[in-house]
């Protein structure tokens, strides 16, 4: 038997990239590779990249530059770029950084073992096609390893919404949903391997409309109800959602499906209707607030999370104030906020840019407000009883760390609780980035 070759994957960007990296590692396992945790040991390095903001994309080139010495020392080392930068820049990556042997876009990962064999013969390989197939069904996996208690599962990919700032419709392609039967098979397999909580992933996950097990078209809510019946699966989450796709059945599921966790990531980007229109979001601040109201009517304790962009082209102080007002109205439990980053090829790139210093100042004010809200929501957990799914040992002897239903990190003295166990906990203290709990 030949010795296993070593693969190092570094993952940037969103959770979908985390999921894709796992699938690539499994596929390469079938091609004789084992995964390692450092570039120095590797026979092949794969960077799974993100193109969402300029900084994310530029990081890739500085990282690649650092591999020069490694390649000098080990001429057989192969370097690949996968993910959204690969899709957006294609062959340009090899021109700009000749160290790169292989470029593979997110819809072509099933071809990775084949491409690896090509570059082993010398030369380069490039594939950034959008084939009409379920790439995950084509990925040949190695024997399945035991897993931790939580896992991601991609159910939907791509986006047809074309927000004026965003590269995702170009890097991930058109919206497409995986058939429910494949998702359910994968979920059952994950549960057999130790998973208790699954987060369904999609760039527009609530736009899911896949082929159902009954031959019909299933919504995300339908899929969640089917997953609800999987024995041993304790918790279901999904991300990321668009406000316009929060359908009645999904809102209702939040009130009636016990396995569906009370946490919703619902990006709004801005609270100004003028800016929302220029962003091509197709919703208003008011329609967003109405959706939140309906979700809270179905599930009063739900924790709301969001995404915000400040300094979008033409944003005035009044527009920004409208965003602060919306935040005050919603009361977010957590949020992600970004300074607008110009992405070549997107409609907003051509417009009048906001002064960078002004945008920095707005981001600071926005984040101060969001941090205050996050604190308030977290502090309000103190005294409450809730379930915690324990994931790993804590720093202190006998301590375990896990996540509450609301996705807060909780640590507790729990020497007899195993990893992957759900236990009832009373929250006793709210710390900077976590809660302290006591087993009941
Ligand atoms: N599909 C999701 C999110 C996709 S990207 C949605 O519809 O909300 C994740 C977040 O990155 C976005 O919600 C947005 O807040 C941010 N983002 C996307 N493009 C950006 C850009 N050009 N500059 C700054 N932030 C951006
Ligand atoms: Fe990007 Fe989300 Fe808008 Fe799609 S809906 S274009 S992924 S921000
Ligand atoms: Fe980044 Fe692509 Fe995800 S651009 S955020 S890795 S979909």
């Amino acid at each position: 038997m030949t010795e296993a070759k070593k693969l190092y994957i570094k993952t940037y960007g969103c959770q979908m990239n985390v999921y894709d990296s796992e699938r690539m590692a499994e596929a390469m396992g079938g091609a004789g590779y084992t995964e390692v945790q450092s570039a120095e040991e590797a026979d092949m390095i794969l960077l799974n990249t993100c193109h969402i903001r300029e900084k994310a994309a530029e990081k890739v080139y500085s990282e690649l530059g650092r591999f020069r010495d490694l390649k000098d020392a080990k001429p057989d080392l192969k370097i690949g770029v996968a993910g959204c930068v690969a899709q957006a820049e294609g062959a340009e990556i090899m021109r700009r950084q000749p160290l790169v042997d292989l470029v593979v876009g997110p819809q072509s990962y099933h071809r990775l073992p084949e491409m690896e064999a090509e570059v082993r013969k010398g030369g380069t390989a490039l594939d950034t096609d959008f084939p009409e197939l379920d790439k995950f069904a084509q990925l040949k996996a190695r024997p399945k390893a035991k897993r931790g208690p939580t896992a991601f599962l991609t159910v939907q990919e791509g986006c047809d919404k074309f927000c004026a700032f965003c590269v995702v419709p170009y890097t991930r392609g058109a919206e497409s949903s995986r058939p429910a039967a494949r998702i359910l098979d994968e979920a059952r397999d994950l549960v057999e391997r130790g998973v208790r909580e699954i987060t369904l992933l999609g760039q527009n996950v609530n736009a899911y409309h896949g082929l159902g097990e009954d031959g019909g078209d299933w919504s995300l809510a339908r899929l969640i109800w089917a997953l609800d019946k999987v024995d041993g699966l304790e918790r279901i989450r999904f991300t990321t959602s668009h406000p316009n796709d929060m359908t009645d059945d999904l809102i209702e599921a939040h009130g009636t499906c016990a396995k569906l966790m009370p946490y919703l990531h619902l990006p709004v980007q801005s609270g100004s209707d003028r800016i929302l229109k220029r962003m091509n979001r197709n919703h208003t601040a008011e329609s967003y607030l109405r959706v939140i109201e309906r979700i809270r009517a179905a599930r009063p304790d739900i924790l709301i999370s969001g995404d915000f962009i400040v300094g979008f082209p033409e944003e005035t102080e009044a527009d920004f104030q409208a965003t602060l007002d919306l935040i005050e109205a919603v009361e977010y439990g957590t949020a992600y906020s970004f300074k607008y980053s110009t992405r070549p090829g997107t409609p907003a790139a051509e417009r009048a840019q906001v002064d960078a210093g002004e945008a920095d100042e707005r981001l600071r004010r926005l984040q101060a407000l969001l941090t205050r809200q996050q604190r308030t929501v977290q502090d309000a957990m103190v005294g409450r009883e809730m379930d915690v799914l324990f994931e790993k040992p804590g720093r202190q002897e006998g301590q375990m760390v896990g996540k509450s239903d609301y996705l807060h990190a909780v640590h507790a003295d729990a020497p007899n609780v195993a990893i992957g166990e759900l236990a009832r906990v009373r929250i006793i203290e709210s710390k900077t980035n976590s809660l302290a709990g006591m087993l009941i």
Side-chain angles (χ1 to χ4, degrees):
M1 224 181 92
T2 53
E3 200 187 326
K5 286 173 282 183
K6 297 189 175 76
L7 172 68
Y8 172 67
I9 306 183
K10 183 158 183 178
T11 307
Y12 302 86
C14 62
Q15 292 142 324
M16 194 166 285
N17 267 7
V18 175
Y19 178 83
D20 285 348
S21 290
E22 289 168 5
R23 299 293 78 71
M24 285 194 274
E26 285 178 354
M28 292 299 281
Y33 277 85
T34 54
E35 208 179 344
V36 293
Q37 298 309 316
S38 80
E40 285 68 27
E41 300 168 66
D43 301 297
M44 177 159 190
I45 297 173
L46 265 181
L47 296 186
N48 193 6
T49 61
C50 175
H51 199 246
I52 201 81
R53 284 166 288 274
E54 192 181 356
K55 236 191 239 153
E58 282 308 311
K59 233 190 269 171
V60 174
Y61 288 99
S62 57
E63 186 73 30
L64 285 171
R66 281 203 284 273
F67 297 147
R68 183 177 309 275
D69 292 347
L70 289 179
K71 200 151 181 169
D72 284 346
K74 195 195 265 184
D76 275 351
L77 172 66
K78 299 297 174 195
I79 296 176
V81 178
C84 292
V85 176
Q87 190 62 46
E89 298 185 7
E92 176 61 24
I93 298 175
M94 296 190 210
R95 275 193 289 274
R96 196 169 149 188
Q97 181 44 275
L99 288 175
V100 174
D101 302 287
L102 178 160
V103 173
V104 59
Q107 301 310 330
S108 304
Y109 293 155
H110 53 285
R111 287 210 51 237
L112 193 55
E114 206 182 307
M115 293 171 76
E116 188 269 348
E118 267 172 62
V119 298
R120 283 283 157 217
K121 290 187 215 141
T124 58
L126 169 77
D127 195 337
T128 52
D129 284 347
F130 286 111
E132 290 279 323
L133 48 79
D134 181 354
K135 69 178 174 191
F136 299 116
Q138 314 291 322
L139 279 169
K140 291 187 188 53
R142 65 178 164 186
K144 307 279 177 66
K146 179 113 179 77
R147 301 271 314 229
T150 64
F152 295 131
L153 204 177
T154 295
V155 303
Q156 178 279 335
E157 208 172 341
C159 181
D160 297 337
K161 297 229 168 25
F162 292 92
C163 299
F165 49 82
C166 184
V167 296
V168 170
Y170 313 97
T171 63
R172 292 280 170 169
E175 225 175 83
S176 83
S177 298
R178 298 178 67 200
R182 294 233 183 83
I183 295 164
L184 287 160
D185 279 348
E186 203 172 314
R188 286 186 207 103
D189 175 69
L190 287 169
V191 169
E192 268 169 39
R193 292 157 66 193
V195 170
R196 294 289 163 262
E197 171 181 310
I198 291 179
T199 302
L200 307 176
L201 298 182
Q203 268 93 23
N204 260 296
V205 72
N206 58 344
Y208 177 85
H209 56 94
L211 176 66
E213 281 186 312
D214 55 6
D217 198 25
W218 280 16
S219 65
L220 184 66
R222 236 356 248 292
L223 180 66
I224 287 169
W225 280 112
L227 285 162
D228 180 66
K229 295 193 191 73
V230 174
D231 281 337
L233 179 63
E234 307 281 356
R235 286 171 156 184
I236 303 166
R237 304 182 187 275
F238 59 86
T239 197
T240 294
S241 299
H242 191 284
N244 291 357
D245 294 314
M246 282 313 291
T247 48
D248 293 342
D249 60 348
L250 187 57
I251 293 176
E252 197 186 311
H254 269 293
T256 49
C257 179
K259 288 186 184 177
L260 185 57
M261 290 294 102
Y263 182 103
L264 179 68
H265 183 59
L266 197 63
V268 63
Q269 316 298 354
S270 169
S272 153
D273 288 344
R274 200 179 68 86
I275 293 295
L276 286 169
K277 205 173 180 97
R278 295 293 280 156
M279 285 178 163
N280 194 31
R281 288 287 295 181
N282 282 307
H283 61 78
T284 61
E286 184 54 35
S287 72
Y288 177 85
L289 290 172
R290 266 203 309 275
V291 173
I292 298 285
E293 210 174 278
R294 285 167 55 219
I295 295 160
R296 283 195 167 135
R299 180 78 203 227
D301 64 334
I302 198 162
L303 188 146
I304 304 291
S305 153
D307 285 350
F308 298 89
I309 295 177
V310 302
F312 184 77
E314 303 159 11
E315 184 189 72
T316 63
E317 175 61 26
D319 293 317
F320 175 66
Q321 190 56 52
T323 303
L324 296 180
D325 293 346
L326 177 135
I327 294 171
E328 295 279 9
V330 172
E331 290 193 63
Y332 286 92
T334 172
Y336 305 86
S337 46
F338 312 97
K339 189 163 86 158
Y340 170 72
S341 169
T342 308
R343 308 311 290 127
T346 60
E350 311 297 326
R351 303 184 192 155
Q353 308 291 313
V354 170
D355 172 75
E358 183 62 40
D360 283 329
E361 180 57 20
R362 285 179 197 165
L363 185 62
R364 199 194 51 71
R365 286 161 62 199
L366 180 107
Q367 288 180 339
L369 173 60
L370 287 167
T371 307
R372 274 203 304 281
Q373 290 194 343
Q374 192 163 335
R375 257 284 36 100
T376 308
V377 171
Q378 193 188 296
D379 291 350
M381 298 286 160
V382 176
R384 289 184 53 185
E385 288 179 12
M386 58 188 71
D387 289 331
V388 173
L389 176 62
F390 285 100
E391 293 174 16
K392 57 182 185 209
R395 248 174 281 161
Q396 274 144 47
E397 179 82 28
Q399 201 182 55
M400 293 283 285
V401 186
K403 294 272 166 62
S404 77
D405 291 354
Y406 309 97
L407 219 48
H408 285 121
V410 179
H411 54 87
D413 192 29
N416 299 317
V417 169
I419 288 175
E421 219 176 292
L422 261 179
R424 202 77 189 149
V425 162
R426 176 175 297 111
I427 304 301
I428 50 176
E429 198 188 340
S430 175
K431 309 222 176 192
T432 316
N433 287 311
S434 67
L435 295 165
M438 214 173 80
L439 288 187
I440 300 173

